[in-house]
Amino acid sequence: MNDTNDNTTAPRLPTAAQAVDSLRDCLDTLKVRRFLFGHLHGGRAVCPACGVQIADGRAVASFWQGRRVRCKDCQHYFTAATGTPLCNSKLSGEQIFLLLASSGLNLDNRTAAAVIGLSVSSIRENRQKIEQQLQKEGERDGQN
């Protein structure tokens, strides 16, 4: 007697191409923002205008989510991206995260473009911007 049912399919792992195609959808937006903003700000939520640390719990949560916050000391409005390389970026947090990860994995520009959903020229331009920013930060850290 055969216990297998012809109507069922055996479990199958996704192919590498399927995994790459769905990578963008698998990222948690809030976790990606918290990761990026946490690194940019050294884990501290502070006003870029006056340097006062944000203490209100609701404002801190808004800051880490990338939403607009108002400083209670100087009344300045800002987001966690204000004054950072992410300010005025046309890329989403997820795209920047994937761009950084693709560089760390040594993916060529064409493969990175397919994974991230951008043009090859956009990948090239943004990788150059990131490299320039990292150089500036390295030089600044070397001066201290």
Side-chain angles (χ1 to χ4, degrees):
M1 178 175 217
N2 189 352
D3 289 335
T4 61
N5 184 346
D6 291 337
N7 294 333
T8 62
T9 58
R12 301 180 110 176
L13 282 173
T15 65
Q18 289 170 325
V20 167
D21 285 341
S22 66
L23 188 56
R24 280 175 282 156
D25 298 331
C26 292
L27 295 176
D28 182 307
T29 302
L30 293 178
K31 287 182 181 178
V32 167
R33 286 182 184 166
R34 182 66 170 102
F35 171 81
L36 290 173
F37 295 145
H39 277 274
L40 287 168
H41 295 289
R44 296 181 60 228
V46 297
C47 173
C50 69
V52 170
Q53 187 157 351
I54 303 166
D56 177 44
R58 211 165 132 192
V60 170
S62 291
F63 178 85
W64 292 123
Q65 292 169 4
R67 294 194 328 246
R68 197 167 84 144
V69 177
R70 182 174 61 98
C71 177
K72 288 188 177 185
D73 282 27
C74 72
Q75 309 306 312
H76 180 77
Y77 283 94
F78 59 95
T79 69
T82 302
T84 74
L86 301 183
C87 188
N88 299 323
S89 175
K90 292 177 175 57
L91 301 182
S92 70
E94 293 84 358
Q95 288 173 318
I96 291 169
F97 179 83
L98 288 170
L99 185 61
L100 291 167
S102 71
S103 294
L105 292 170
N106 294 318
L107 298 182
D108 61 88
N109 289 340
R110 180 166 295 182
T111 304
V115 170
I116 301 169
L118 297 171
S119 68
V120 174
S121 62
S122 181
I123 294 293
R124 189 179 313 108
E125 291 169 18
N126 282 287
R127 280 184 169 175
Q128 288 173 349
K129 288 178 186 177
I130 289 170
E131 287 174 23
Q132 291 169 352
Q133 181 63 32
L134 291 173
Q135 271 185 326
K136 284 181 193 175
E137 291 173 8
E139 291 169 3
R140 189 174 48 227
D141 291 343
Q143 293 175 354
N144 293 339

